[in-house]
Amino acid sequence: QVQLVQSGPEVKRPGASVRVSCKASGHTFTNYGFSWVRQAPGQGLEWMGWISVYNGITNVAQNFQGRVTMTTDTFTSTVYMELRRLKSDDTAVYYCARDRLPRKLDAFDLWGQGTMVTVSS
Amino acid sequence: DIQMTQSPSALSASVGDSVTITCRASESISTWLAWYQQKPGKAPKLLIYKASNLESGVPSRFSGSKSGTEFTLTISSLQADDVATYYCQLYDSYWTFGQGTKVEIK
């Protein structure tokens, strides 16, 4: 079954870091690029960054440069997103999403179920 | 960066009505535009890619078109199951979402 399964909810203090995982199955992991998208409560979708498993290139949205790191583990077919120096307005659902076509920047045809990250003192 | 302006922010229509949502790019983006449907508590679902291509398994009442820098999502006959928020998305070397349109049944 082609799917992305994300790690569970997190509660963090302001200033801390969080790492969210996204495990892929049912397709050739190394052929694709993956993005991270977040959605604050009641708000729209915000693209955070993209990582290509096939050539290692990353592209981070300007709003997150210096705070986000994306990595992959080809042995476990897992993508990771670490967000540092958390603030209360980082409270959101974080999604991973896969490019529709292999080895090509594209729209997202496969999404994880979302991970709720709550930042609160 | 290219900005996407989506309108309206919300609409209410009757079952069977034709519904149109628009996304305007601040400059030309070729056809690298997608449309997504998101229901409450769920991940977004891809409906249309490359401006006018219907994703596999998506009902044919959904369609997309492009005219200049304006992109349109049309639901030809609104169904109760179409109640959701719809987003456009630019994709090129980076990705940008529109602000979203909440569709309700009148």
Side-chain angles (χ1 to χ4, degrees), chain B residues 19-84:
Chain B
V19 166
T20 297
I21 299 168
T22 297
C23 223
R24 186 182 300 274
S26 58
E27 56 188 88
S28 176
I29 59 170
S30 185
T31 56
W32 305 119
L33 188 110
W35 291 96
Y36 296 85
Q37 175 193 67
Q38 186 181 33
K39 297 184 177 181
K42 299 294 187 182
K45 173 187 174 183
L46 178 64
L47 300 175
I48 302 283
Y49 62 91
K50 211 173 176 184
S52 59
N53 293 270
L54 194 67
E55 174 70 349
S56 176
V58 174
S60 58
R61 63 180 180 274
F62 292 93
S63 64
S65 63
K66 173 183 184 286
S67 177
T69 60
E70 186 171 284
F71 297 81
T72 300
L73 173 70
T74 300
I75 310 173
S76 61
S77 177
L78 188 68
Q79 303 299 305
D81 187 52
D82 300 335
V83 169

Side-chain angles (χ1 to χ4, degrees), chain A residues 24 31 69 78 102 105 108 111:
Chain A
N31 280 348
T69 300
T78 302
L105 302 179
F108 307 150
W111 292 70

Side-chain angles (χ1 to χ4, degrees), chain B residues 89-102:
Chain B
Q89 179 203 42
L90 153 70
Y91 57 100
D92 191 346
S93 58
Y94 58 92
W95 292 255
T96 301
F97 290 95
Q99 298 85 353
T101 297
K102 188 173 184 179

Side-chain angles (χ1 to χ4, degrees), chain A residues 36-50:
Chain A
W36 290 90
V37 176
R38 77 176 185 181
Q39 186 169 39
Q43 302 302 307
L45 302 171
E46 181 178 26
W47 176 72
M48 301 176 65
W50 173 85

